[in-house]
Amino acid sequence: MTKTPDSAFASPQIITGKARLAGVLGWPVSHSRSPALHNYWLRRYGIDGAYVPLPVRPEQFEAAVRGLQAAGFRGANVTIPHKEAACALADRLDPSAQRAGAVNTLVFEEDGRIRGLSTDGGGFVASLEADGLPVPVSGRALLLGAGGAARSVAAALQDRGVQVSVTNRTQARAESLAAVLPGLEVVPWEAWEAGLGAYDLLVNTTSLGMEGGPDPMFRPSLKAASRALVVADIVYVPRLTPLLAEAEQHGLKTLGGLGMLLHQARLGFREWFGQDPVVDAETEATVRATF
Ligand code: ATR
């Protein structure tokens, strides 16, 4: 009898000699919530498998990947600082990874080749949709930040037909992003608040507003926003960032960052363990409990 996926509570993990294996490569990796999330799904679906943290120094990255492959792992997630190295190492890149210039998910194919995917941007869009929020397919989005997270979110939104603008403290970095993502518009950092009325979606992709980040009190003015603006933050600690609190004060719809974290994990889980996992309240509560 197959196990009902209603809940993982009271389900022991099954790890036999045939267990499917995956993990997350990072340095450091102790902050990662991916082991809690994937092992929760493994219990929930009664899958014979395990997902482990893999602390790997940058200079050991390639040796570690080859070793995991030799040891029969199905693949791995990749987090800071290995996302570009993973992109270079993969034999084949999905279009998502080509556009993002980074890989967060490695799949070890049966023929020995390594496939690289980038699921962060897709996870963001899936999270919007799962909350019933509109993806502005013929509208405009403004992204704060021009790092790796901005690139993957911008690429995923552009792929859905959204007209994307970015603004960044260091303008040269925003311009470098525009050079690799044609059609991206650059807005000066000093001008974005006043110009907010032109957008349907605002996404903070920086660490501003994050507990322990460069400016945990980051609370820009949203006075110029249209009433239909959706405000999203990829920061998920705290759950209600000052930016989202400001948006709520203006009566705007908001999206926190945890959904992106949960949804970006689904594709890897499906590739390695053969099951498309749900993201629901119990999934979210399981990960929240680790903070
Ligand atoms: P990631 O790859 O996760 O996006 P990153 O590459 O370090 O991380 O990018 C961090 C982003 O946060 C950048 O856009 C950075 O702006 P700069 O390019 O000007 O450094 C932004 N950021 C970090 N601290 C900031 C601060 N105090 N004020 C404004 N932007 C900040």
Side-chain angles (χ1 to χ4, degrees), residues 145-150 168-170 173 189 205-208 214:
N168 195 50
R169 175 181 60 178
T170 310
R173 220 171 157 203
W189 183 245
T205 74
T206 73
S207 48
L208 294 169

Side-chain angles (χ1 to χ4, degrees), residues 30-254:
S30 54
H31 65 281
S32 174
R33 266 65 194 186
S34 294
L37 175 60
H38 285 270
N39 288 308
Y40 158 80
W41 277 330
L42 288 170
R43 292 194 304 280
R44 184 158 177 168
Y45 292 100
I47 295 170
D48 181 9
Y51 182 106
V52 292
L54 299 160
V56 172
R57 293 177 189 276
E59 60 274 20
Q60 295 289 342
F61 178 72
E62 178 161 2
V65 171
R66 305 281 177 215
L68 293 174
Q69 219 182 352
F73 273 56
R74 299 279 175 138
N77 280 128
V78 177
T79 187
I80 291 166
H82 304 309
K83 289 185 180 185
E84 283 81 23
C87 199
L89 185 77
D91 300 304
R92 253 183 336 122
L93 293 177
D94 277 18
S96 61
Q98 278 168 19
R99 300 253 292 137
V103 157
N104 74 337
T105 305
L106 293 171
V107 178
F108 302 155
E109 308 277 26
E110 279 179 15
D111 65 5
R113 295 203 297 179
I114 299 178
R115 185 153 57 91
L117 295 76
S118 170
T119 67
D120 289 325
F124 173 77
V125 173
S127 171
L128 262 181
E129 289 174 328
D131 270 25
L133 295 169
V135 178
V137 284
S138 47
R140 302 182 66 188
L142 175 65
L143 271 48
L144 309 183
R151 181 166 170 177
S152 57
V153 170
L157 287 171
Q158 281 189 331
D159 289 346
R160 298 295 294 271
V162 180
Q163 172 65 48
V164 182
S165 304
V166 288
T167 185
N168 195 50
R169 175 181 60 178
T170 310
Q171 176 137 343
R173 220 171 157 203
E175 280 157 8
S176 303
L177 196 59
V180 291
L181 294 179
L184 201 77
E185 187 199 42
V186 176
V187 173
W189 183 245
E190 301 71 33
W192 75 264
E193 284 165 295
L196 199 53
Y199 298 96
D200 309 284
L201 173 65
L202 171 69
V203 190
N204 175 40
T205 74
T206 73
S207 48
L208 294 169
M210 186 172 81
E211 203 177 287
D215 181 3
M217 306 307 284
F218 177 65
R219 189 167 181 148
S221 167
L222 303 179
K223 277 204 296 255
S226 89
R227 292 174 58 88
L229 181 73
V230 173
V231 179
D233 206 326
I234 71 162
V235 171
Y236 50 85
V237 181
R239 187 203 298 242
L240 186 68
T241 63
L243 169 67
L244 296 182
E246 181 68 14
E248 284 188 359
Q249 275 215 336
H250 285 270
L252 304 174
K253 290 192 173 138
T254 61

Side-chain angles (χ1 to χ4, degrees), residues 245-270:
E246 181 68 14
E248 284 188 359
Q249 275 215 336
H250 285 270
L252 304 174
K253 290 192 173 138
T254 61
L255 178 74
L258 189 60
M260 175 175 168
L261 179 78
L262 303 177
H263 283 278
Q264 63 76 29
R266 286 175 55 199
L267 201 52
F269 191 89
R270 194 165 74 206

